[in-house]
Amino acid sequence: MNEEANAAGWDAIDQEMTRLYGDQEPKHYGTLLPYALGGQDPLDGISAYKADEPAPHWHFVTYGFTELYDKESDNPDDSGYGFELTFRLAREEGEEEPPAWALNLLQNMGRYVFNSGNIFRSGDYLDANGPICLGADTLLTALAFVEDPELPAIDTPNGQVQFVQMVGITRDELEAMQTWNTLGVLSACLEHMPRYITDLSRASHLGIPAISEAVQKGMREEGSNTGFLYVDQLAWEPGKKGWFSKTPSTLKLGAKQAGIIGKLLQGRILKGKDLTLVGPEIRVVFEAGEKPECEAGEDEIRFTLDEVTAGEFSRKLLPKESIIEVSALPGIAIQIVQTQIKDNEGNVVEVIG
């Protein structure tokens, strides 16, 4: 069968890019050996277009999260995973080739999706635990995801395709998205980040008073949209009772995420919303209620918090090694342990706590 003759999904993406860029020939980077046959790159290809408005930038689009050729999945509504990624990166004067790191980053997103089955939607965020461009002197250490402002969803013979744009963000912007919501923060930043162009050299937008005030207002009035948080360092040790002593049941948290969990509890419990922490082996659920209590199951720990107890959690959960006791929950301790941030080679590059 001739794949070229059955590239309906690929052609549909090309048509959208032609609508934006006319007869511009993009820089295209294909994959020689398919991922399914042992190749290193999961995406079939990435195209990069030169855009000049509202500022010079590269506009990347992926080919491979959707069904580019024949329809193979049983889902008639969506093509493959239902989305392709785009990325807008500030372009230097005279730059004729897009930076290789951006292509690698997009392929890494492909590996993440193909290996985990998790997909990206508008409103999602991802902590990169380091510069999004390895080795770069940049404050951008995380990614947010939003609908590409120029590429609405399209219908193809293989199902619908959405274009989800990656946006480089700083650590404090990520925290603001967690404690309020991603799209609210991005919208507040849009005037200073038109079309959500990623610029490695920029400072945090939260240093701009109008943006900081908008974010604080959103947190205060709406609370947090983050109902689930994936936590690498999350463990539970049941208490032990002996003849002469007893040890409390202990919830262990990594220092890196302890602070944000405290803020999330404030933004969720005070609005009557639950917060679920998902770790490698257990889930911890915090829910609003009138009587503080803790119920421990085999793989799920459930805390009920009133407003006063949620406030105490929020004040005491700080990014430093410590053991915390909460007055309304006798027999329960929270241990904050150090977090080690490692590079791709396993070297510790930062210690938190």
Side-chain angles (χ1 to χ4, degrees), residues 26 120 188 197 269 293:
F120 295 116
I197 296 171
I269 299 298
E293 58 184 359

Side-chain angles (χ1 to χ4, degrees), residues 45-171:
I46 301 170
S47 284
Y49 291 82
K50 275 186 176 182
D52 294 315
E53 298 296 335
H57 66 277
W58 293 105
H59 191 185
F60 299 86
V61 62
T62 64
Y63 295 78
F65 291 104
T66 59
E67 292 164 295
L68 302 173
Y69 312 108
D70 294 323
K71 180 69 178 175
E72 296 180 3
S73 73
D74 296 328
N75 181 354
D77 298 324
D78 295 327
S79 175
Y81 289 108
F83 73 96
E84 293 290 352
L85 285 177
T86 70
F87 185 47
R88 296 173 189 266
L89 179 64
R91 176 164 48 88
E92 302 291 336
E93 184 176 353
E95 192 173 57
E96 294 300 323
E97 295 288 337
W101 72 263
L103 302 170
N104 292 333
L105 177 62
L106 287 163
Q107 288 288 3
N108 282 336
M109 294 300 102
R111 293 183 189 97
Y112 170 79
V113 171
F114 280 51
N115 293 334
S116 70
N118 298 329
I119 66 172
F120 295 116
R121 298 184 180 92
S122 177
D124 288 345
Y125 53 74
L126 182 70
D127 190 348
N129 290 316
I132 62 171
C133 172
L134 292 177
D137 182 16
T138 178
L139 295 177
L140 305 186
T141 58
L143 296 163
F145 299 84
V146 64
E147 291 180 9
D148 189 297
E150 291 189 306
L151 291 170
I154 59 173
D155 291 317
T156 77
N158 294 332
Q160 189 177 79
V161 176
Q162 295 183 331
F163 294 94
V164 180
Q165 183 173 324
M166 295 193 318
V167 186
I169 56 174
T170 63
R171 180 180 291 184

Side-chain angles (χ1 to χ4, degrees), residues 101-272:
W101 72 263
L103 302 170
N104 292 333
L105 177 62
L106 287 163
Q107 288 288 3
N108 282 336
M109 294 300 102
R111 293 183 189 97
Y112 170 79
V113 171
F114 280 51
N115 293 334
S116 70
N118 298 329
I119 66 172
F120 295 116
R121 298 184 180 92
S122 177
D124 288 345
Y125 53 74
L126 182 70
D127 190 348
N129 290 316
I132 62 171
C133 172
L134 292 177
D137 182 16
T138 178
L139 295 177
L140 305 186
T141 58
L143 296 163
F145 299 84
V146 64
E147 291 180 9
D148 189 297
E150 291 189 306
L151 291 170
I154 59 173
D155 291 317
T156 77
N158 294 332
Q160 189 177 79
V161 176
Q162 295 183 331
F163 294 94
V164 180
Q165 183 173 324
M166 295 193 318
V167 186
I169 56 174
T170 63
R171 180 180 291 184
D172 60 343
E173 290 165 354
L174 171 65
E175 184 174 302
M177 291 174 183
Q178 291 172 321
T179 52
W180 180 26
N181 70 72
T182 300
L183 300 183
V185 175
L186 286 176
S187 179
C189 296
L190 186 57
E191 181 182 347
H192 299 272
M193 190 167 49
R195 290 190 200 158
Y196 304 119
I197 296 171
T198 292
D199 182 350
L200 291 179
S201 66
R202 75 170 177 86
S204 169
H205 288 314
L206 294 184
I208 300 170
I211 294 177
S212 179
E213 290 167 11
V215 169
Q216 292 297 324
K217 182 173 184 287
M219 292 178 189
R220 190 170 56 250
E221 295 181 356
E222 300 173 21
S224 170
N225 255 18
T226 302
F228 290 82
L229 188 68
Y230 294 95
V231 181
D232 292 335
Q233 293 173 281
L234 183 67
W236 175 259
E237 289 187 359
K240 296 178 182 178
K241 294 182 180 179
W243 285 104
F244 304 107
S245 65
K246 62 179 181 179
T247 59
S249 295
T250 303
L251 176 66
K252 291 188 175 183
L253 297 170
K256 181 178 188 293
Q257 291 182 297
I260 190 63
I261 290 169
K263 292 179 181 179
L264 285 175
L265 285 173
Q266 192 87 336
R268 298 289 294 183
I269 299 298
L270 298 189
K271 299 295 180 180

